[in-house]
Amino acid sequence: MSTPLLEARDLQVHFPVGGGAVVRAVDGVSFAVERGKTLGLVGESGSGKSTVGLSILGLEPPTGGQVLLDGAELDFSRAGLRELRTKATMVFQDPNASLNPRRSV
């Protein structure tokens, strides 16, 4: 069996909101994306879809779980994130602000 290109295992992103309370924006998400395949995240507004993408890219680092790229756990240090962002990116919700028709994807 081949190693997934991207894998999330029990991904968690929690935000402290004062008074000791915590918002569990993402809690226990797991998935694997095989090389050459596509994965779509679908859910209601506020369900954590964007937060999953942000956490994979280290823009909102996970508070728990693992993210693996080509079988290696992602390194969320400054150097690790720089390397990751040469391999992966995110198209944000406003594609007109994110995509440039003069550049290939």
Side-chain angles (χ1 to χ4, degrees):
M1 184 173 180
S2 66
T3 301
L5 176 63
L6 177 67
E7 186 174 6
R9 295 180 184 165
D10 194 30
L11 185 64
Q12 300 168 13
V13 183
H14 300 169
F15 299 102
V17 291
V22 173
V23 171
R24 296 170 177 250
V26 175
D27 199 24
V29 171
S30 297
F31 60 84
V33 182
E34 300 297 328
R35 192 171 305 280
K37 300 295 182 177
T38 302
L39 171 75
L41 294 177
V42 179
E44 296 179 13
S45 177
S47 65
K49 302 177 300 292
S50 294
T51 304
V52 167
L54 292 170
S55 68
I56 289 170
L57 292 177
L59 296 171
E60 191 59 64
T63 53
Q66 292 180 298
V67 180
L68 298 98
L69 184 64
D70 277 331
E73 188 166 1
L74 292 183
D75 172 12
F76 290 107
S77 70
R78 189 176 194 93
L81 290 174
R82 194 173 317 114
E83 180 184 348
L84 168 64
R85 292 178 186 148
T86 65
K87 299 175 183 177
T89 190
M90 178 175 174
V91 176
F92 291 92
Q93 292 181 7
D94 180 6
N96 292 325
S98 303
L99 299 175
N100 181 340
R102 292 174 282 183
R103 297 190 66 189
S104 63
V105 177

